Amino acid sequence: MNISAIIIDSKKTARIKIENLINDHSSIHIIGNFETGKEALKQINILKPDLIFLETKLDDITGFDIIDQTSLSFKPKFIFVTAHENFARKAFDYLAFDYILKPYKEERFLRCLHKVLDYIRREKLLSVNMQNIITAIDNKKNVGNGKISVKSGNKIFLIDINSIQYIIASGYYIEIFTSDNKKYLLRESLSSIITRLNSSSFIRIHRSTIINSDFIEEIISSNYGEMDVKITGTMTNFRVSKSYKKMFQGTIRI
């Protein structure tokens, strides 16, 4: 199984060191080596690497900017190799696989490498098996009629579409909230899930929010043109962003 990787670091010596250590593993193929974050961003969503080694601070942007702007259509593992120890907690909040502090010993890097390679191999095998199961489920006539299959961790749930109240983007993941007070965390984009739901009841009101219009309890407008939506059974008002406001108003005809 070939695993692809790219390296992003403003210092050439740092990139060379990582490249030399990776080259000892025939299963990893380096497909990109970038000095700046903006240069890397132009290629990441095209190259779709399995692994991304990056610094927290680059000459132009940060490693966190890169994660924020990486497409959710594929799922790379981010490994920070950095001279800045004070960003470790933030890195793991961003679901980084590891955080290697410079200067580091070869053994430390190789230990991380072996761990992530094993993880990716198992993840790819599990993903294939899970996808086969999901496809088989969705092809059955008695499923897909009002239900959606959702893979979360090593489980597949069949969720009644009509029970979904709202969906929130959370980093690389989305959270599905249902009327029976359950929450499902899965690694998928909002664009992908709303396509799979295939229902006019679901409306995107923000780049990070989808709501089920059947659960709208109140629509609150301010004198400043702002608009919030209250969903039945929740304590939170969901803001309708300017870019989605016209589409929202047209859909619910207000």
Side-chain angles (χ1 to χ4, degrees):
M1 180 183 294
N2 289 324
I3 294 172
S4 59
I6 68 169
I7 304 166
I8 312 168
D9 199 305
S10 297
K11 295 183 178 180
K12 185 176 180 179
T13 53
R15 298 197 308 274
I16 291 173
K17 181 177 181 179
I18 294 173
E19 188 170 357
N20 288 338
L21 290 170
I22 290 176
N23 282 338
D24 290 335
H25 291 264
S26 58
S27 58
I28 302 178
H29 178 52
I30 299 173
I31 57 174
N33 193 318
F34 304 100
E35 183 177 355
T36 68
K38 291 180 180 178
E39 181 186 8
L41 280 172
K42 291 177 182 177
Q43 297 298 321
I44 287 175
N45 293 328
I46 298 172
L47 296 173
K48 294 180 171 55
D50 297 303
L51 284 172
I52 298 180
F53 296 88
L54 72 169
E55 246 289 4
T56 52
K57 288 187 176 182
L58 301 161
D59 287 345
D60 52 351
I61 59 176
T62 71
F64 302 106
D65 293 327
I66 292 173
I67 295 178
D68 283 334
Q69 296 178 54
T70 298
S71 171
L72 286 173
S73 61
F74 70 105
K75 306 165 186 177
K77 298 292 177 290
F78 289 93
I79 296 174
F80 282 97
V81 185
T82 177
H84 307 280
E85 62 181 345
N86 52 324
F87 293 109
R89 177 174 291 182
K90 183 175 181 179
F92 290 115
D93 285 342
Y94 270 70
L95 305 176
F97 187 86
D98 205 345
Y99 196 89
I100 300 174
L101 195 61
K102 299 174 183 175
Y104 56 89
K105 294 182 179 180
E106 181 177 327
E107 292 78 9
R108 169 67 177 93
F109 187 90
L110 294 179
R111 190 164 62 249
C112 167
L113 210 57
H114 292 147
K115 184 178 178 181
V116 75
L117 287 176
D118 182 60
Y119 186 92
I120 289 174
R121 289 188 184 106
R122 288 188 286 109
E123 185 180 57
K124 286 189 174 184
L125 180 61
L126 179 62
S127 178
V128 170
N129 292 338
M130 284 289 195
Q131 190 55 52
N132 289 339
I133 294 171
I134 290 173
T135 300
I137 290 173
D138 286 342
N139 285 338
K140 287 184 176 292
K141 291 182 179 180
N142 62 331
V143 180
N145 182 19
K147 290 185 181 290
I148 184 171
S149 54
V150 170
K151 174 191 168 191
S152 183
N154 61 352
K155 296 181 179 180
I156 296 175
F157 298 93
L158 298 180
I159 303 175
D160 185 347
I161 289 175
N162 294 325
S163 73
I164 298 174
Q165 292 182 297
Y166 59 95
I167 306 170
I168 301 291
S170 178
Y172 267 90
Y173 291 78
I174 59 172
E175 295 174 313
I176 297 177
F177 295 83
T178 59
S179 56
D180 55 357
N181 296 319
K182 290 183 179 179
K183 179 175 74 172
Y184 301 89
L185 181 70
L186 61 151
R187 194 158 184 172
E188 189 170 347
S189 68
L190 287 180
S191 298
S192 172
I193 194 68
I194 200 169
T195 299
R196 289 210 292 133
L197 288 168
N198 192 27
S199 170
S200 59
S201 295
F202 291 93
I203 308 170
R204 191 162 185 174
I205 62 169
H206 192 277
R207 65 183 181 88
S208 62
T209 311
I210 293 170
I211 63 166
N212 185 342
S213 59
D214 294 336
F215 286 95
I216 294 178
E217 185 175 300
E218 294 179 0
I219 298 173
I220 307 152
S221 297
S222 74
N223 294 330
Y224 303 100
E226 295 174 338
M227 183 176 288
D228 291 330
V229 176
K230 180 174 174 56
I231 298 296
T232 302
T234 68
M235 301 296 292
T236 305
N237 291 338
F238 298 92
R239 175 60 50 89
V240 180
S241 69
K242 290 181 180 179
S243 56
Y244 289 95
K245 187 176 179 181
K246 282 188 178 180
M247 182 173 64
F248 173 70
Q249 290 174 317
T251 303
I252 62 173
R253 299 178 181 179
I254 60 171

